[in-house]
Amino acid sequence: MSTRKPDEQEEKPLDPVMENVRRKMIRLQLVSAGVMVVMLMVVLGAIVYKLTRPSDRDQPQPAAIAVPSDAPLAAIAVLPAGFVVSDVALSGGQILFYGADTGGESKAIVFDIAAGRIVADISVTAN
């Protein structure tokens, strides 16, 4: 089929300049492959970490305050005189009272149940 002799089919050695270029290309390919393998391992590690870590939704939320078993907790939130409450919100052991004072200024007052006192008095203004 081929009329060439077997010794003619062997590759001839490259000149030194081309041999240096070939070595640099092989080195670049090896470095690139190594970086890609490391990045693949990082991604797989992140996936395994996410799958094995329990989610926050599965764990019960701890109670913000301890409720006594023998009697209900009693607390009095003393709001400023003339304060008109328009909205109330509960978060953990704190209650937010939103409303307006006697001058019509909007305010948010935060009452901490465990401490039994007002912990923040915030004036709300629009720019």
Side-chain angles (χ1 to χ4, degrees):
M1 296 200 249
S2 176
T3 58
R4 290 186 178 178
K5 296 179 184 175
D7 57 328
E8 289 179 9
Q9 290 181 354
E10 292 179 11
E11 292 184 20
K12 296 180 182 176
L14 297 173
D15 62 354
V17 174
M18 288 304 292
E19 184 65 25
N20 285 340
V21 170
R22 186 186 69 81
R23 284 183 186 159
K24 286 182 182 179
M25 292 298 289
I26 289 174
R27 192 174 347 154
L28 178 64
Q29 285 179 333
L30 291 175
V31 169
S32 297
V35 168
M36 287 180 61
V37 166
V38 168
M39 292 301 134
L40 179 66
M41 296 303 284
V42 167
V43 169
L44 290 177
I47 291 172
V48 168
Y49 173 75
K50 285 286 192 176
L51 290 176
T52 58
R53 199 174 107 200
S55 66
D56 294 336
R57 293 176 291 180
D58 298 340
Q59 299 173 355
Q61 296 295 328
I65 57 172
V67 178
S69 60
D70 56 345
L73 184 65
I76 298 174
V78 181
L79 299 175
F83 184 77
V84 178
V85 177
S86 62
D87 198 9
V88 177
L90 174 68
S91 175
Q94 295 182 334
I95 302 172
L96 171 82
F97 297 99
Y98 185 76
D101 62 2
T102 54
E105 181 183 5
S106 295
K107 285 189 151 200
I109 298 175
V110 180
F111 179 78
D112 191 314
I113 298 171
R117 64 183 181 86
I118 293 176
V119 293
D121 187 354
I122 304 162
S123 296
V124 181
T125 61
N127 285 342

